[in-house]
Amino acid sequence: MNDNKTRQTLLDQLSQEEQSTARKYMSLAVGSDSWWALGQYEIITFCLASLPGALGLALRKLCYGRILAQIGKGSVIGPYVTLRCPSRISLGSNVFVDSGALLDAKGTGSLIQLGNGVLIGANTVLSCSSGRITIGNDVSLGPHSHIRAGIGPVTIGSAVTIGAQTVVISGNPSYERTDLPMKQQVGSVAGVTIGNDVWIGVGARIVDGVHIGDGSVVGAGAVVIKDVPAMAIVAGVPARVIGQRSASAPG
């Protein structure tokens, strides 16, 4: 525990009287104090974010490259996708971000980096406050999931399948001090690491400090509070090992 440290919350930032409303918006939504960046962000998202059909997909692909850090060949952004601080968001090739998703990279030091062949399901949230979300190649993230990099990072390897309504949270406040609100205390900041070739079932919950080994399986609805060994099968609340995958050659 980091008992002597404190952290500034989003509400603290919004309540700073010395900053104008416009400056607060630019910091939290645009990720820049440039009026030119604000103008580009507002015009592009206002005109294109809700545009339906193939025309909307094509124009977002063409124009979102002006506000994103990177958008690779063949990548597609669906309608009603919200991008916050897009200059800190990188999309590899053949990425599909489905409708209603939120990619939010606000906060000092925050980044969202998606590899190649990544699918972000409808209404899924990837959000940072001062952490980083890094996702490898060939990853499917089911709809209505939430990946949150609070203070620590969230790192997801390649060839990973994550079921719908899964929650991955890095960073937890401390509760050791009683003279300070818990939300202002810095607790666990270890982050979450998910290895390669991992299958996570629908509705799983993964908390800060967990490392999920390569080739492992996390059952639907499991609450993972400690490391998962490579090739293990875990399930339950809290999750425990119920089996082991064995190497096999094709018949």
Side-chain angles (χ1 to χ4, degrees):
M1 296 287 184
N2 298 299
D3 298 336
N4 296 321
K5 294 184 178 180
T6 62
R7 65 190 183 99
Q8 187 181 60
T9 67
L10 175 60
L11 289 176
D12 294 331
Q13 296 177 42
L14 291 174
S15 63
Q16 292 177 356
E17 295 183 358
E18 64 271 16
Q19 273 196 325
S20 67
T21 301
R23 289 293 182 184
K24 292 175 184 177
Y25 176 78
M26 291 165 70
S27 173
L28 297 173
V30 185
S32 171
D33 59 2
S34 162
W35 291 100
W36 171 252
L38 173 65
Q40 278 200 120
Y41 177 85
E42 290 295 299
I43 293 170
I44 291 172
T45 57
F46 177 80
C47 294
L48 302 180
S50 61
L51 193 64
L55 178 61
L57 296 177
L59 289 177
R60 282 188 291 273
K61 167 65 172 132
L62 178 65
C63 297
Y64 274 31
R66 295 181 176 272
I67 58 174
L68 288 164
Q70 175 186 333
I71 181 168
K73 182 178 179 180
S75 290
V76 174
I77 298 175
Y80 301 105
V81 170
T82 300
L83 302 173
R84 292 184 185 152
C85 302
S87 63
R88 303 171 188 160
I89 300 172
S90 298
L91 310 183
S93 301
N94 301 310
V95 171
F96 179 58
V97 183
D98 208 345
S99 59
L102 166 63
L103 277 62
D104 182 356
K106 68 176 176 291
T108 303
S110 294
L111 287 174
I112 297 176
Q113 297 177 312
L114 309 184
N116 302 325
V118 175
L119 168 63
I120 304 298
N123 301 305
T124 284
V125 175
L126 275 61
S127 68
C128 311
S129 60
S130 57
R132 298 185 176 195
I133 297 173
T134 305
I135 299 178
N137 302 322
D138 188 24
V139 174
S140 174
L141 182 55
H144 300 280
S145 294
H146 189 171
I147 309 296
R148 169 73 172 171
I151 303 174
V154 174
T155 303
I156 299 173
S158 296
V160 174
T161 300
I162 299 177
Q165 301 178 3
T166 293
V167 177
V168 180
I169 303 289
S170 79
N172 289 314
S174 174
Y175 52 84
E176 299 298 320
R177 293 177 58 178
T178 58
D179 62 324
L180 190 69
M182 288 181 282
K183 68 178 183 178
Q184 294 180 4
Q185 300 182 43
V186 177
S188 172
V189 295
V192 175
T193 301
I194 298 173
N196 300 316
D197 187 28
V198 172
W199 176 19
I200 297 175
V202 171
R205 303 291 187 260
I206 302 168
V207 303
D208 187 74
V210 165
H211 176 93
I212 297 180
D214 293 349
S216 57
V217 177
V218 176
V223 177
V224 185
I225 61 173
K226 61 182 181 180
D227 290 353
V228 176
M231 305 298 286
I233 303 170
V234 302
V237 181
R240 66 188 188 280
V241 176
I242 61 170
Q244 193 77 18
R245 296 179 66 206
S246 57
S248 60

